[in-house]
Amino acid sequence: MYAQMVTSEAADDSPEARAFQARIDAGEKIEPKDWMPEAYRRTLIRQIGQHAHSEIVGQLPEGNWITRAPTLERKAILLAKVQDEAGHGLYLYCAAETLGVSRDDLTEDLLSGRMKYSSIFNYPTLTWADMGAVGWLVDGAAIMNQVPLQRTSYGPYARAMVRICKEESFHQRQGYDIMLKMCRGTPAQKRMAQDAMNRFWYPALMMFGPSDKDSVHSAQSMAWRIKINTNDELRQKFVDETVPQAEFLGLAIPDTDLRWNEERGHYDFSEPDWTEFYDVIKGNGPCNVERMTARRKAWDDGAWVREGLLAHARKKAGKVAAE
Amino acid sequence: MDALHEFCLRMGDNTLVLGHRVSEWCGHSPVLEEDIALANTALDLIGQTQMWLGLAAEIEGQGRTADDLAFLRDAWDFRNLLLVELPNGDFGQTMMRQFLFDTWHHAMLTALAGSSDDRVVAIAAKAVKEASYHLERSAGTVIGLGDGTAESHARMQAALDLLYPYYGEMFAADATDTALAAAGIAPLPESLRASCDVRLRQVTEEATLTLPASSFAHSGGKTGARHTENLGHILTQMQWLQRAYPGATW
Amino acid sequence: MTTQSRKPEWPLWEVFIRGQHGLNHRHVGSLHAPDAEAAIRHARDVYTRRNEGVSIWVVEARHIAASSPSDKGPLFEPSESKVYRHPTFYDIPDEAGPM
């Protein structure tokens, strides 16, 4: 997911921690000034921060095609979508800031590699059909996780997710709409669409992270309601919803073992190559270097702008105070 | 009418090319809030392009669409100002270019409210609200950065020095402009100059910047006679898919 | 997690927006901006992209005074027993007509 493999810390067993857990169990929202276990706070910063970083780095693969969009309308739609991602990053950084960390701190942690972002954004976008595949598959996978997170225990995070989900609703549809046009188009367009499917299917499945049904971290996060479903549940749900959509497009899913399992009431499917996943996480994905270079450049090149505008604001405030 | 057709191309090509340039920032801006704001500006400009080039295509009457005009003309048929095709440079250069353009654009769109052509009035009425916000934002940013730190001041002065020679083209008239003015469709470009100069002086003064002494002005963009080398590269990117897969629907 | 920023950050602003229907301004989120004018512009660009508003308030977050969660009991529970403030407390016969 956008927050993959977030390590959660164990809760202590103090009376405060027990009372805190009781509030969460009763469905109460935790607000910034409420008492919270330090482990809850730190885990949330990691999770929300990683989610925010993913939105920001996630601008790059799609931003790669804004200047090459094939029509004025497609250009506007794509730009509006990538702009939404910047907005979503912004909402999430603000949610993290209520936990006592600054956006600049989080940014520095991303740029230094101390914090991660989703593996999916380290894959290249090579043709226009990738704009369809990213919207349909990548946003489709993200939505699986984001919709339940609207009910997460931390108030500012839940409210950010509500806003994000509301805005996201067009993202997957615009992606599918691109795929539809490609699949109903010329043979070259159809070929592009299938190629995008072939390249994005397994990376999309990896977004949910490796199986965590036996993970202690995951159990703690679920007790705190900052994780609502297991990775496997969400992955299965994604496959079950996506297969008929692919069939409608006439696209083949690159998995010869994919078939409906009547008994389970779900599709059986092949696991992605987890070695590749760990390689990408470690920095060896096809685009890790480019993505981080782009983010670092934006941050470094922008320093004089941030400082300049702040200096002007202070001068102005000084003048007003002196009057 | 040929002059009106030409006018729509000029307006639409300006917003098309500038919208393209501004959209290049998406994901690379100095701060998230600016990234979102720049995308809004680009989206407004793309929307205006659809209206102006849509009207140009309608007047042309050959069954072409705004997309055909945007994606299937070559550089010599483009009628945008040289200013808008110049590279983004740093954020200061981008905002200075935006401010110079917005100053003229806002004045032009305001004047077009009195156009004798209802279609022009309708497009201008929508676009002027967007341009008014663009101008507020770009002027505010030019002032903030000009009167910011020593570094931001130096960068903004360099941007102004670089771009000022492209300011004059906006106010130069040719036979098309004269015909448009005679028909009451659009104002004579030089009639906008005085108010634009006032704003330019106000803003640069508040930004503690110095206007270059030379009033030399490059030309050749809006007539299409001689664009900069930049335009060809913009089109190479922008038109790639339409050129590589002719006739496909996207 | 780093806790010290190297450079001063733009201040945090809280954004309040009045929706289309003449309602109160409502808190919608936060953003960073160097000053109030920029904060309003950013609020417009960030929080009204889908026609969400007709009016914007921004206030620097550090100027907001907030009640403390530990005072929740003394602050809010006393009003729970004042049921007579609610119209449903009063049993008016139907014969009296609409009231």
Side-chain angles (χ1 to χ4, degrees), chain C residues 4 7 26 31 37 39 52 54 90 97 99:
Chain C
Q4 291 296 310
K7 298 241 166 86
R26 200 168 66 85
L31 49 75
E37 289 82 7
E52 290 100 332
V54 294
Y90 304 93
M99 190 177 293

Side-chain angles (χ1 to χ4, degrees), chain B residues 190-203:
Chain B
E190 58 258 43
S191 69
L192 306 173
R193 175 123 203 184
S195 66
C196 287
D197 281 351
V198 168
R199 185 178 313 269
L200 181 59
R201 273 196 300 275
Q202 268 170 1
V203 170

Side-chain angles (χ1 to χ4, degrees), chain B residues 131-171:
Chain B
S132 167
Y133 178 73
H134 298 170
L135 177 59
E136 180 194 321
R137 200 182 99 74
S138 61
T141 309
V142 165
I143 291 168
L145 290 173
D147 182 31
T149 59
E151 181 180 8
S152 72
H153 174 84
R155 284 176 180 265
M156 295 313 283
Q157 185 63 55
L160 181 58
D161 294 346
L162 178 76
L163 298 174
Y164 189 64
Y166 295 91
Y167 174 71
E169 188 185 12
M170 303 194 272
F171 308 101

